[in-house]
Amino acid sequence: LAKTTQPISMDSYEGQEVNITCSHNNIATNDYITWYQQFPSQGPRFIIQGYKTKVTNEVASLFIPADRKSSTLSLPRVSLSDTAVYYCLVGDMDSGGYQKVTFGTGTKLQVIP
Amino acid sequence: DAGVTQSPTHLIKTRGQHVTLRCSPISGHKSVSWYQQVLGQGPQFIFQYYEKEERGRGNFPDRFSARQFPNYSSELNVNALLLGDSALYLCASSFSPRDNPYEQYFGPGTRLTVT
């Protein structure tokens, strides 16, 4: 069972780059790393997914070192609307070959004006 | 295109009662998963259905059950409600759980309060 560890909370000023690191020491060879964003009273929203090295989309970048035991979500120039909880997920394959999506406690990001 | 829809939005029930929550996935998506989110915690996986069959089950008691219909919509049923069942119940859909199980699209949730 791959488990993730993230900081409980982070504060950042508007316009700054924010990096949230997730530890996943027991990640399996074929597991992907996925990040979700959740605003209060809403369902989580898929942000980005990667397997190794670096992935970038219009919202964020994901950095994964060669040993894949951690990953870093990078949010460029955050705004107040980026205040949310960010979840890091890794694979959790069940006996039937289907992967259960397991959320941890997430990182609560507070963007300050 | 419409996103994942859930009904009802809010619900208040009494201990011991039964509740049915409904979810319609994004058009073309064949997999539906259910999650329970207690205030201050991350979503906890309850069930996953794909092609109308249960493909995954989390650590929830047998009071929780679900099914998926031919049109891929789904129902979550909870019997003998307890105060601890009060939570936001989230439904998520994806095209196929095996191709990319982590890229799911979540609905707004149903807020269940048990008194």
Side-chain angles (χ1 to χ4, degrees):
Chain A
L1 177 65
K3 183 179 178 181
T4 61
T5 303
Q6 304 175 231
I8 295 174
S9 64
M10 295 180 67
D11 291 337
S12 176
Y13 288 102
E14 268 191 301
Q16 289 189 330
E17 177 184 75
V18 171
N19 296 308
I20 305 174
T21 297
C22 177
S23 296
H24 29 80
N25 292 318
N26 298 323
I27 190 169
T29 303
N30 58 346
D31 285 343
Y32 278 73
I33 300 155
T34 309
W35 287 79
Y36 279 83
Q37 174 193 56
Q38 187 176 27
F39 299 112
S41 298
Q42 293 186 26
R45 181 177 76 104
F46 174 90
I47 301 177
I48 198 167
Q49 181 181 78
Y51 182 79
K52 61 180 180 180
T53 62
K54 176 184 176 182
V55 179
T56 298
N57 62 22
E58 65 278 5
V59 176
S61 294
L62 178 60
F63 298 91
I64 305 169
D67 67 4
R68 302 194 339 115
K69 293 184 182 298
S70 67
S71 59
T72 299
L73 175 72
S74 181
L75 304 172
R77 298 179 298 283
V78 294
S79 64
L80 295 176
S81 62
D82 292 317
T83 294
V85 178
Y86 292 82
Y87 294 98
C88 166
L89 284 66
V90 296
D92 185 6
M93 183 77 74
D94 67 15
S95 58
Y98 286 84
Q99 301 203 26
K100 296 188 297 184
V101 181
T102 302
F103 287 79
T105 54
T107 298
K108 186 173 183 179
L109 172 66
Q110 180 69 52
V111 180
I112 306 165
Chain B
D1 285 342
V4 176
T5 59
Q6 292 185 244
S7 63
T9 306
H10 297 86
L11 201 54
I12 299 175
K13 289 286 189 177
T14 304
R15 276 178 298 176
Q17 286 188 318
H18 162 271
V19 68
T20 297
L21 309 181
R22 295 177 175 84
C23 171
S24 292
I26 291 172
S27 177
H29 284 190
K30 300 181 179 181
S31 176
V32 168
S33 296
W34 287 95
Y35 296 83
Q36 180 196 65
Q37 187 171 27
V38 175
L39 195 62
Q41 298 182 18
Q44 299 300 304
F45 173 77
I46 309 176
F47 287 110
Q48 181 183 71
Y49 276 79
Y50 176 61
E51 292 285 14
K52 302 177 287 295
E53 292 189 15
E54 182 183 304
R55 300 294 187 175
R57 175 186 286 254
N59 296 322
F60 280 81
D62 291 343
R63 299 185 295 108
F64 289 77
S65 63
R67 56 179 175 169
Q68 187 177 34
F69 298 101
N71 66 353
Y72 302 109
S73 67
S74 178
E75 284 183 354
L76 175 70
N77 296 285
V78 186
N79 292 323
L81 285 167
L82 304 173
L83 294 179
D85 295 331
S86 295
L88 181 68
Y89 287 85
L90 295 161
C91 172
S93 78
S94 62
F95 181 72
S96 168
R98 282 201 170 195
D99 290 343
N100 189 349
Y102 299 105
E103 188 168 356
Q104 298 184 84
Y105 295 84
F106 283 80
T110 294
R111 172 71 63 187
L112 172 65
T113 301
V114 182
T115 62

